[in-house]
Every structure is written in C-alpha cells, then in structure tokens.
Amino acid sequence: MAPDAPAPAPARTELAPATATVTDKDIDTSPEHSGRRSTDDDDDTGAMVAAALPGSPDDKPATYAQTDNARHATEKERNMTLLQGIRLYPKAVAWSMLISTCIVMEGYDVCLLSNFYAFDAFNRKYGELINGEWQVPARWQSGLSNGANVGEIIGLFINGFVSERFGYRYTVMTCLVALIGFIAIFFTAQSVEALLVAEILCGVPWGIFQTLCITYASEVVPVALRGYLTCYVNCCWGMGQLIGIGVIKSMLGRSDEWAYRIPYAIQWIWPVPLLVAVAFAPESPWWLVRKGRYDDAKHALLRLTSQNRETDFDADETIDMMKHTTALENEITAGASYLDCFKGTDLRRTEIVCMVWAIQNLAGNNFSNYSTYFLEQAGVASSNAYSFALGQYAINTVGVFGAWALMAAGIGRRALYLYGLVGLCATLFVMGFLGLVPAAHKEQAALATGGVMIIWAAFYQLTIGTVCYSLVAEISTRKLQIKTIVLGRNLFNITGIVSSVLTPYMVNPTAWDWSNYAGFFWGGSCFLCVVYTYFRVPSPDGKSFAEIDMLFERRVPARKFATTHVDAFDYSTDRKSHEIAHVEEVARAEEKAAV
C-alpha cells in the first residue's frame, strides 16, 4: 500500500519573529507577564504584535472564529443525547461495528485451539504416543497457546507505526489480505511446527486489530456514543468465542481429520466480505486532521453523519474542534514516538491504560476459563460441560448489552470498573472457600465451582471486561492513542502468558494441585487491583478529548475527574494573551532603546 502524500503541518501557535531583532529568545516567558494587554493608542506596538503572530493580520479574525467554532462544537457534543447521537451518526455506528467485527476472528481461533486437545483425530495428527495415548505434548500445548500471543505482540508494535502513517483503512485491508493466506497454513498444516507458524503469523494481524478497532470506534463517533461503540469491541470477542464453541460442539461426533479442518476452514468466512466492505469505509476524520488534510476530513465526516439536523450539526465547527484538540495536544506532547508515552503527563496516562488492560488478567480471567474442567470433575458429561461453556460464552456476548444498559442508566465507567472488581474479588474467594468442602462432597463442590465461575463471567462482562475498551480509548491522547493502547495491550498479552502458564499448575492434580485454593491467590490479586483502581483510574464520561487532556495536564486526581470542570479553551486564550503581552514588552523595550 502506498503512503499518503506528505501534508503540510497544521499551523502551530508558536510565535514567529517579527523582525531580525525580535526573536523567541527576546521574549520573557515568566508567568508575571501573562496578564499584560495592548492599549488602543499604541498603534506601532499593535502592528508589531500582529506581525509576530502566525499568519497575516487579515487572518486573525478567522483564527478567532475557528476557536469559537471549536467551542460551539464541543458544547453541542456535550449536550447531545444518546438518541440524538444515533440519529446524527448512524453511518458512523455502522462503520465502527463493521470494522470491530475483525475481532471476531481472534476470539474464534482462541476458542478453537484449547478445545482441539480433546479431539482424538487432532492428537493423532499433531501429537505423540504417551503412555499408550495420543497426546499433544505439554511443551507444544504451551507453545501453540502462546504462539498467537507472540504474534499479537509483534503486530501491536507494528501497528504503532503503520496505522498512523498509512491510515486505518489501508492497514485493516492489508491485514485481511494477509489473513486469507495465513489461514491456509492452518488448513493444510502437516505438522505441529506448521501450526505454530500459523498461530504466530495470524497473531500479527490480530494484534493490529486489537488496537485499531478501538481507535477507529473512538474517533468516528461523538462523546455520547464513544463509550458504547468502544465497548462493542468486547462483544465481537465474545461473539467469536460463542461461534467457536458452537462449531466445536457440532464436531464432537466426528473422528476423522475434518473434525479440526472444518473449524479451521470456517475462518475464511470473515476476511473476504470484510475486505470488500472496509474498502468503502470512510477514513477517521481525526487521523486526516492530524495529517493536515482538512478537506478530506470534512468529506469523511459528512460520510459518517446523516442529514438529521436536530442537534444543529455543523461539519466545519466539528473539524475546527478536531483542529483545536490536535493543536492543544501538540502543545502538551512534543513528539509522537513510543518514548513520548513515558514523558510528562503522558506517563500517567500510559500507566493507567496499561494497568486497565493488565487487570483483566490479574483479576483471574484465565482461572475462570476452567469452568468446563471443574464441571467434568463433578461428573458432568463432556457434551453437557460444553453446553455450560456455551452459556458462559453467550454471557460474554450478551454482557456487553448489559453494560450498555448500566452506562445508559448513568453509572460511570470508573464506578463500573471499580465495583465490578469488588464483585469479582468476592466470587474468587467463594471459589477458594469451596475447596474446604469435605472430600465426601467433592462432586457437589466442583459443580458449585463451575456455577460460580459462570457468575464470575457475568460480573466480568458487565464491568471490567467491557468497560476496559472504553477507558483505554478515552484516557490516551489522540496523538499517542495507538501507541499507548499498543503498550497496554502488550502488557495484557504478557500477563496473559504468565497466567496461562501458572494456572494449569495450580489446578492440575499432578502439579501443585491447588484446585479451588487457586481462588484465594487470584482473589488476593484482584483485591490489589481494587485498591489500584480506587486511587488511579479516572472517569472520562461525557468529556471531550480536549477536556480530558486538560484534566491530565492539571494533574487532577482520579477520584475528582467526574466533578472537576475545565474549559479546554482557557488554555488557548491564556497562551495567546501571554504571547501578545510578551511581544508588546519587547516592542516597547526596542522603542525605548531607539529613543
């Protein structure tokens, strides 16, 4: 794919020297000068001020009009209701949901692999004869399970560069084309080594989808819809798992190689239609504004909106709001590299995004996936155990709609995340205490444990499993959003690898044999996550990106985010007044020296 032609950089608010003698070095930047104003009778000074500011004097009214437009657009978005947002941005909702569907493929494959180890045909093809039984050795199970994670980590880092350079559409389309070829490796694999190669290669585009879908969703819809569309990404993940477990259940009666080849072949259903659809999708207006392509940004914005004018929508005002936010972030954040994610206020934002992702695994996510294992230990037939698992994955999908209902009822993202962790912590400790049940009632305890794990899944999907996607999309800056989410998702993958290695040892009778007592370990870990969330995770609900930038710039504590009011335009106004006052001072000093 060819990169877009370099666009001229957006106008910055730094002062250009008016004459050879008036330079940036001559301007005193001390705070005590910020309140100075020019006088009406000082015409010469006024002329120098106009010359020192960006653009020609005739352009100044347009600059102020742009700021005024941005303010109006921000107010309109803040006052927009959910239904008004849907009526105004129906096409944006549809395009966002379409691109988020790419995540279905990852959820589907993750579900397949762990269940294939119970298929005799799969074990005979890719396993070894161990103690008279065909099995995939533990080392290869670990390698295959983490192969996709390795590929995703690589893909995530790649996405930090390519999507910002080439745009979201071209990046998604390239990944879909690559997947069509990589899936063929799954389908034709003749050895376990080939399967590992397929897992790693497919992991690369899956990793790119993990961040790009969230970023696109957050940038094409207004504040009123942002939380809902970013959370929908989790619904797609659950949808993939639900489809996967359904396909697996339908293959239980087969004993030939098609028992695993058909599920692999089904993966081809997704890329081709998605590729055709994404080819017609509009690019993110925010990305186009960052590239200085303002006409293209307006065209994309009009493609995302309807003709409904209930909210007095003005595309020019919205584009000016994007310009204002981009200029503000350029002032706050100097660069756009991975290193810049760890500088200034972006360090705090990166830390929160990384922890919000990691907490999903630290709260016992991997342990909860053993519901089928505990149900089978209780004597439940394999087919019925898979039916329970099917119900758990259905919760993963439907839980998103429950989270939407809670958000629509006025419950903030921080509250959902915090109280959800409290519920998860309580259920994990219940699982631990079920381990104290006497051996005579072992089967009843195992059945109860499987049931509590399904309750855990409901808590998880109603809260942190869903809300996480909204938080990571809103907390990071537009300029560093992709790279910040990449770092967070990679920490998620790393903690996932660690937990996926530890958990089997915890529950396996031939290893540590903790069984239910693993609930105490993950319950303790979850409690620490509760403490962290209370002190560090803010609530960005209902705030524009510029307002969130200002809250972080002013170092507002997480607990006060929701109640602290900021005017994102004070920063620009104060800075402009500050600059004018300093140029006036230099001009007067030069006049005095001349006299």
Side-chain angles (χ1 to χ4, degrees):
M1 53 188 174
D4 295 306
R12 296 289 302 276
T13 57
E14 282 87 338
L15 291 173
T19 67
T21 57
V22 182
T23 67
D24 290 340
K25 294 182 179 178
D26 295 321
I27 299 175
D28 181 8
T29 58
S30 57
E32 56 265 24
H33 297 294
S34 61
R36 300 288 297 274
R37 295 288 188 275
S38 60
T39 57
D40 295 336
D41 58 346
D42 198 346
D43 295 335
D44 293 335
T45 301
M48 294 188 69
V49 170
L53 291 172
S56 65
D58 294 337
D59 292 336
K60 297 302 175 295
T63 301
Y64 298 133
Q66 178 177 311
T67 302
D68 198 42
N69 285 344
R71 186 191 297 273
H72 289 159
T74 301
E75 286 298 323
K76 290 175 183 178
E77 281 210 5
R78 184 184 295 111
N79 297 327
M80 187 182 298
T81 65
L82 174 61
L83 289 178
Q84 286 175 336
I86 294 173
R87 294 190 191 105
L88 182 59
Y89 284 86
K91 290 181 280 188
V93 171
W95 286 119
S96 173
M97 295 178 74
L98 173 76
I99 290 182
S100 295
T101 306
C102 295
I103 293 292
V104 171
M105 291 182 285
E106 183 193 2
Y108 178 84
D109 182 80
V110 168
C111 178
L112 288 187
L113 186 62
S114 59
N115 287 285
F116 277 159
Y117 299 136
F119 281 21
D120 183 64
F122 184 86
N123 289 328
R124 286 180 177 275
K125 180 67 176 179
Y126 302 110
E128 300 174 4
L129 193 60
I130 302 174
N131 297 327
E133 292 184 5
W134 287 98
Q135 297 178 14
V136 176
R139 67 182 186 278
W140 278 111
Q141 286 192 30
S142 178
L144 291 172
S145 298
N146 291 319
N149 287 332
V150 172
E152 286 166 9
I153 290 172
I154 296 171
L156 283 162
F157 277 121
I158 291 174
N159 188 44
F161 299 103
V162 297
S163 59
E164 193 61 30
R165 177 177 175 81
F166 299 106
Y168 300 170
R169 286 176 58 251
Y170 289 125
T171 303
V172 171
M173 290 166 64
T174 302
C175 289
L176 290 170
V177 171
L179 269 176
I180 293 172
F182 296 158
I183 291 170
I185 303 176
F186 275 127
F187 186 72
T188 60
Q190 298 299 314
S191 66
V192 69
E193 291 85 358
L195 281 182
L196 179 60
V197 170
E199 289 286 348
I200 294 173
L201 290 178
C202 285
V204 174
W206 290 337
I208 291 174
F209 293 149
Q210 285 177 355
T211 52
L212 199 145
C213 294
I214 301 170
T215 306
Y216 186 84
S218 69
E219 293 189 354
V220 298
V221 296
V223 173
L225 301 178
R226 201 168 60 206
Y228 299 93
L229 269 298
T230 49
C231 287
Y232 177 74
V233 175
N234 189 52
C235 179
C236 293
W237 177 280
M239 198 183 305
Q241 292 177 316
L242 184 63
I243 295 171
I245 198 70
V247 170
I248 288 293
K249 193 171 185 296
S250 67
M251 295 291 122
L252 288 176
R254 300 189 70 106
S255 58
D256 56 3
E257 64 176 356
W258 294 104
Y260 59 87
R261 292 204 188 278
I262 289 175
Y264 277 140
I266 288 175
Q267 292 182 99
W268 271 313
I269 291 176
W270 305 102
V272 175
L274 283 174
L275 179 62
V276 174
V278 172
F280 295 97
E283 186 55 86
S284 163
W286 284 90
W287 181 82
L288 292 167
V289 166
R290 290 196 295 273
K291 295 298 181 182
R293 296 166 53 183
Y294 304 130
D295 291 339
D296 290 339
K298 181 179 178 180
H299 177 69
L301 182 62
L302 291 173
R303 287 192 61 198
L304 292 166
T305 55
S306 69
Q307 297 302 312
N308 183 291
R309 293 295 178 261
E310 179 183 349
T311 58
D312 193 24
F313 171 76
D314 187 311
D316 291 317
E317 288 182 351
T318 304
I319 294 298
D320 284 342
M321 177 187 69
M322 295 178 185
K323 292 180 183 178
H324 172 81
T325 303
T326 301
L328 177 63
E329 292 186 349
N330 285 337
E331 296 296 337
I332 296 173
T333 305
S337 67
Y338 278 111
L339 187 60
D340 290 304
C341 294
F342 300 95
K343 294 179 180 179
T345 57
D346 288 305
L347 173 61
R348 179 188 175 195
R349 301 172 85 156
T350 301
E351 170 226 313
I352 295 170
V353 169
C354 287
M355 286 303 299
V356 165
W357 272 126
I359 283 173
Q360 287 192 325
N361 285 321
L362 297 176
N365 187 21
N366 198 273
F367 180 55
S368 74
N369 292 332
Y370 279 78
S371 59
T372 303
Y373 171 81
F374 280 99
L375 290 169
E376 289 181 342
Q377 290 291 308
V380 177
S382 295
S383 59
N384 292 332
Y386 276 111
S387 296
F388 272 96
L390 193 63
Q392 183 173 340
Y393 288 127
I395 290 172
N396 293 352
T397 304
V398 178
V400 174
F401 302 105
W404 283 359
L406 294 174
M407 287 190 290
I411 302 177
R413 259 86 89 185
R414 168 184 160 87
L416 279 174
Y417 203 86
L418 179 61
Y419 295 121
L421 281 172
V422 171
L424 296 179
C425 185
T427 55
L428 286 167
F429 276 111
V430 168
M431 293 181 209
F433 282 112
L434 284 171
L436 300 175
V437 172
H441 301 284
K442 179 182 177 181
E443 290 186 0
Q444 291 87 337
L447 186 62
T449 301
V452 173
M453 283 183 170
I454 293 175
I455 295 173
W456 186 98
F459 266 113
Y460 180 86
Q461 295 302 330
L462 285 170
T463 56
I464 75 168
T466 298
V467 176
C468 168
Y469 291 88
S470 177
L471 287 173
V472 300
E474 295 175 303
I475 289 174
S476 51
T477 66
R478 299 305 86 204
K479 189 175 183 180
L480 293 172
Q481 185 187 41
I482 292 178
K483 290 181 173 64
T484 306
I485 296 178
V486 162
L487 293 170
R489 187 67 187 187
N490 269 335
L491 184 59
F492 169 88
N493 286 332
I494 291 170
T495 54
I497 291 172
V498 173
S499 63
S500 67
V501 171
L502 289 178
T503 305
Y505 283 95
M506 292 178 182
V507 301
N508 198 314
T510 61
W512 300 347
D513 196 21
W514 289 7
S515 189
N516 280 71
Y517 296 137
F520 290 129
F521 175 87
W522 292 113
S525 173
C526 189
F527 176 77
L528 295 177
C529 294
V530 171
V531 175
Y532 175 86
T533 300
Y534 179 78
F535 288 104
R536 299 296 290 170
V537 177
S539 181
D541 310 48
K543 299 187 184 300
S544 69
F545 289 129
E547 288 169 335
I548 295 171
D549 290 337
M550 291 303 300
L551 288 167
F552 277 105
E553 181 70 10
R554 295 180 182 180
R555 303 183 187 279
V556 175
R559 288 167 290 167
K560 297 183 179 180
F561 252 61
T563 57
T564 302
H565 173 73
V566 292
D567 186 345
F569 301 92
D570 285 345
Y571 185 92
S572 300
T573 304
D574 291 346
R575 179 178 176 82
K576 186 66 69 179
S577 300
H578 184 79
E579 292 171 345
I580 292 172
H582 296 344
V583 175
E584 288 175 350
E585 180 174 338
V586 172
R588 290 194 181 93
E590 288 186 346
E591 289 176 356
K592 185 176 180 180
V595 173

